Amino acid sequence: MAPDAVIVGTGPNGLAAGVTLARAGLSVELYEASDSIGGGLRTESLFDSDIPHDICSAVHPMAVASPFFREFGLRDRGVQMLHAPASYAHPLPHGAAAVAYRDLDATCAGLGRDGRRWHRLMQPLLQHTDGIVDLLLSDQRALPRDPAAALMLTRRVLAHGTRLASGSFNTEEAKALLTGVAAHAVGRLPSLAAGAVAMLLGHLAHGRGWPVPRGGNARIATALAAEITAHGGIFHTGQLISDLAELPRATAVLLDVSPSALVHIAAGRLPTRYQRALAHYRYGPGAAKADFLVTERVPWTNRAVGEATTVHLGGTQADIFHSETTTAAGALADEPFVLVVDPVVADPGRARPGKYPLWAYAHVPNGDTTDPVELITTTIERYALGFRDTIIAQRGISAAQYEAYNRNYVGGDIGTGAMTVSQSVLRPVPRMNPYRVPIPGVYLCSAATPPGPGVHGMSGYHAARAALRHEFGIRACPPLGPTEKVS
């Protein structure tokens, strides 16, 4: 029997779409090119069978904040989200450092004369956190439910997403602490899009936090897949879909793929105007990753940095503005921005005596072929002298290789599209319904649609809701929470 819906791609958005459709009572089949599901939620043992490494995403402020996952209920499905004392840290040259603790007051105390400014910036956002999150993770097509949150966010984005950002704080510590979060937008700095990212992730650091799943990312993917199969869903792994004709006939087809892959899969079926619009879709800089197995925790010069799972390495605000803008222009910066993840700070069970997992990303030009291991090692060594001597094993993945690993990461762009102002709202092309592809029954549900990148599941959720309305006449979204606890 033909399924009601077919989904291509099993990253967090494809899985979120599958959960939403399956909970609505539809028969669902999912197709995955790799031998395992998860996309950016995969966990593997790279160097030691007892040591898990997250292959792509690693830390999940969005997963604990997004409306989809809040209703899905990760904890009730056996996924434990673990927090370090600090959400992130930012060491500076000569041993100084700024640390963003979950405790806002502790953070402010460490920022000296900028403590009050940081509090004035973050406390109102925390008071309106649901409104901020719901606005930025919406389909960008409806009026905000919390107008006060929208106004508050707009003022802060204008202040911190433009050249005004240089004068927002007095100390290099506070400036760098916020700029490191803005760099998660992976593009030119400062920018309005990066300002919005900084406000979203920055305030979550003091609220729901930046946690890691106990045991690795795959726990989230497994929980989502279990819900789909519990409602009759079927997974097909190791099957690369190159043409829509390869799929079984279904009322709805949802594609968790990049715009370039959409053009390939839908060859000859897309209207010329839509295909031309997709040709103008821009991809952002790439990420190059290094995985390490080390003998001990990172010997940070400033010990307070070791309290955070996520560490931003890029120097001062001016340094990061320069390196990120250089990278976005297509040149490899002399000292690119590096994001380090030390999961053991929050999840000690991932380590074994004398064996600790660690990994880091460097921001590089799209399609860059540089092996990042030496670049990243040198950068960490700058802030943690002796780190090189702790390395037991290492592996590098260039930006170009990341695309081979996951076709959605075009040129190593793990956000599936540049985070510019226009592409933040009008992804992938300007349309009232960005998820509907102008082919009957076909929808795009990847991070190339609003609200964009991140492990939040909202692109898949929004696309699935659109399919339920337009293809099945189901206007009320089904409840997503667990019907019983998963042990």
Side-chain angles (χ1 to χ4, degrees):
M1 179 182 292
D4 295 315
V6 170
I7 298 171
V8 177
T10 62
N13 286 308
L15 292 172
V19 167
T20 306
L21 296 174
R23 289 297 295 256
L26 304 182
S27 57
V28 181
E29 295 190 17
L30 298 92
Y31 287 78
E32 170 58 51
S34 299
D35 292 331
S36 61
I37 66 165
L41 288 174
R42 294 193 182 101
T43 302
E44 298 178 10
S45 297
L46 297 179
F47 310 116
D48 186 295
S49 59
D50 289 337
I51 310 290
H53 283 253
D54 290 326
I55 304 304
C56 296
S57 61
V59 182
H60 298 290
M62 300 281 223
V64 292
S66 91
F68 171 79
F69 277 113
R70 292 201 317 254
E71 185 175 351
F72 182 72
L74 287 171
R75 182 175 61 182
D76 290 335
R77 298 176 187 275
V79 181
Q80 293 181 273
M81 303 299 285
L82 306 177
H83 296 266
S87 293
Y88 68 95
H90 194 119
L92 288 163
H94 311 301
V99 182
Y101 294 97
R102 286 193 73 192
D103 184 326
L104 178 59
D105 290 337
T107 303
C108 295
L111 292 176
R113 56 185 174 141
D114 274 328
R116 289 185 178 180
R117 289 192 177 192
W118 191 271
H119 195 277
R120 287 198 299 268
L121 175 65
M122 295 297 176
Q123 182 61 32
L125 296 176
L126 289 168
Q127 292 172 340
H128 290 266
T129 187
D130 286 348
I132 297 294
V133 169
D134 291 350
L135 173 63
L136 291 179
L137 297 189
S138 72
D139 63 5
Q140 314 296 322
R141 298 299 187 275
L143 293 174
R145 289 187 290 178
D146 184 348
L151 180 60
M152 183 188 308
L153 178 66
T154 299
R155 290 201 302 262
R156 283 161 169 75
V157 169
L158 290 173
H160 297 277
T162 65
R163 285 294 173 185
L164 295 173
S166 299
S168 297
F169 295 103
N170 294 310
T171 65
E172 290 296 345
E173 287 83 357
K175 290 179 181 181
L177 194 63
L178 191 63
T179 305
V181 185
H184 283 244
V186 196
R188 180 181 60 83
L189 288 179
S191 73
L192 294 176
V197 170
M199 294 305 105
L200 175 61
L201 297 181
H203 96 277
L204 288 176
H206 308 299
R208 293 188 172 98
W210 290 20
V212 300
R214 183 186 294 276
N217 277 338
R219 302 295 177 88
I220 298 177
T222 299
L224 291 165
E227 180 66 10
I228 294 170
T229 55
H231 287 80
I234 299 172
F235 286 85
H236 304 275
T237 57
Q239 294 198 34
L240 173 64
I241 302 301
S242 300
D243 193 289
L244 290 174
E246 299 170 11
L247 298 170
R249 295 183 65 86
T251 302
V253 174
L254 283 76
L255 304 173
D256 185 4
V257 303
S258 67
S260 56
L262 169 62
V263 171
H264 176 70
I265 293 173
R269 299 175 179 86
L270 292 171
T272 301
R273 184 175 179 180
Y274 184 83
Q275 186 161 330
R276 284 177 178 168
L278 286 180
H280 293 287
Y281 188 78
R282 290 175 52 201
Y283 293 96
K289 182 170 183 263
D291 291 282
F292 300 99
L293 187 65
V294 295
T295 58
E296 61 185 63
R297 295 280 309 286
V298 180
W300 299 110
T301 301
N302 190 309
R303 292 185 179 182
V305 175
E307 297 182 82
T309 303
T310 300
V311 180
H312 300 145
L313 304 180
T316 65
Q317 180 186 70
D319 293 335
I320 300 171
F321 281 178
H322 174 73
S323 64
E324 288 293 273
T325 300
T326 298
T327 302
L332 184 64
D334 291 336
E335 296 182 8
F337 182 82
V338 169
L339 187 153
V340 181
V341 175
D342 184 353
V344 175
V345 183
D347 188 5
R350 298 199 197 189
R352 295 293 180 269
K355 295 180 180 179
Y356 295 78
L358 187 83
W359 51 96
Y361 292 96
H363 292 174
V364 298
N366 190 281
D368 188 79
T369 59
T370 304
D371 185 323
V373 169
E374 181 54 34
L375 182 156
I376 289 173
T377 300
T378 300
T379 301
I380 296 176
E381 182 84 9
R382 192 174 297 127
Y383 300 93
L385 187 63
F387 167 72
R388 188 184 300 272
D389 298 331
T390 72
I391 299 173
I392 303 170
Q394 60 192 27
R395 183 193 74 158
I397 304 175
S398 69
Q401 289 171 324
Y402 244 139
E403 181 175 357
Y405 165 76
N406 188 327
R407 290 169 179 79
N408 282 10
Y409 301 161
V410 177
D413 175 5
I414 58 177
T416 317
M419 286 296 291
T420 63
V421 171
S422 61
Q423 281 200 174
S424 296
V425 178
L426 303 177
R427 301 167 77 90
V429 300
R431 285 173 66 85
M432 283 302 297
N433 188 328
Y435 311 100
R436 293 185 76 180
V437 175
I439 301 173
V442 178
Y443 294 78
L444 188 65
C445 69
S446 69
T449 61
V455 178
H456 45 62
M458 293 302 294
S459 297
Y461 174 69
H462 291 313
R465 290 188 66 188
L468 287 173
R469 289 194 303 271
H470 295 289
E471 309 303 329
F472 302 98
I474 301 174
R475 307 196 71 82
C477 189
L480 303 174
T483 54
E484 60 180 350
K485 281 202 171 185
V486 177
S487 60

